Amino acid sequence: PLPQASLPPFDAPSSGGKHPSPTELTSPPAKKARLDVADNVSAVASSPPETAAAASAEHVEPAPALLNAPTELLPAEEFLSTLSDPKNAVITVKIPNDSSSSKWNCDGREISVTMDVRTATVKSIKQMCSRYLGGMPANKMQLRWSSVGFLKDRDSLAKLNIGPGATLDLVPKVRGGRK
């Protein structure tokens, strides 16, 4: 005969009278989800099912950095009306310090470009930056703005509420699978 494995004692009242399955007896208890407010982790989404109801009853404050981010963009016309000189807006583009992109002059500097916010698009900023980056094609660049994220070429600066003093981050596009 085969030796019998000893099972832990079964506590009938907590299980509602049901017998546990063998996997319930041998699997370790589920770990409690760690709630980190700074990372704005949702307690309900990361908790095991048995703690999700309890976690949703708690109120979690958003991270302070998220309170300063604009929740909604102004319409382009309304944004333009807030600018004193939309024709001569100086926008700063941060170039990464990336030695793998040495042919494109990615040396960590900042480029200031003067644009007309009323008519300029994200693509026009990329074309201006191309001159300073050794001819890097616009389709090899991505521009990111902290309050919106990655920008689409067709969007106007007015639509995105990008005005004088804005700082954009340039990220060279990398094909999938290559490093």
Side-chain angles (χ1 to χ4, degrees), residues 57-102:
E58 297 176 18
H59 177 69
V60 178
E61 291 293 324
L66 296 176
L67 294 175
N68 297 334
T71 55
E72 208 171 290
L73 296 175
L74 295 173
E77 297 80 24
E78 188 176 333
F79 174 72
L80 288 171
S81 69
T82 64
L83 301 176
S84 60
D85 186 15
K87 293 179 187 177
N88 297 312
V90 178
I91 296 166
T92 304
V93 180
K94 288 184 180 180
I95 309 300
N97 191 2
D98 185 8
S99 60
S100 66
S101 300
S102 60

Side-chain angles (χ1 to χ4, degrees), residues 154-175:
R154 68 178 177 269
D155 288 341
S156 71
L157 300 184
K159 176 184 174 187
L160 296 169
N161 292 184
I162 297 174
T167 301
L168 307 176
D169 295 311
L170 184 132
V171 181
K173 283 187 182 177
V174 185
R175 292 187 56 161

Side-chain angles (χ1 to χ4, degrees), residues 39 55 163:
D39 292 336

Side-chain angles (χ1 to χ4, degrees), residues 82-177:
T82 64
L83 301 176
S84 60
D85 186 15
K87 293 179 187 177
N88 297 312
V90 178
I91 296 166
T92 304
V93 180
K94 288 184 180 180
I95 309 300
N97 191 2
D98 185 8
S99 60
S100 66
S101 300
S102 60
K103 67 179 178 177
W104 304 123
N105 298 333
C106 292
D107 53 7
R109 63 186 161 167
E110 291 184 351
I111 299 172
S112 294
V113 293
T114 303
M115 305 295 288
D116 184 351
V117 177
R118 299 171 302 164
T119 58
T121 62
V122 173
K123 188 170 186 171
S124 62
I125 293 178
K126 289 180 179 182
Q127 290 168 342
M128 292 285 286
C129 290
S130 178
R131 297 176 190 165
Y132 298 100
L133 296 175
M136 180 181 200
N139 66 347
K140 298 287 184 191
M141 301 178 203
Q142 284 183 307
L143 289 176
R144 182 176 50 208
W145 192 33
S146 60
S147 61
V148 176
F150 285 105
L151 308 177
K152 295 182 180 176
D153 286 353
R154 68 178 177 269
D155 288 341
S156 71
L157 300 184
K159 176 184 174 187
L160 296 169
N161 292 184
I162 297 174
T167 301
L168 307 176
D169 295 311
L170 184 132
V171 181
K173 283 187 182 177
V174 185
R175 292 187 56 161

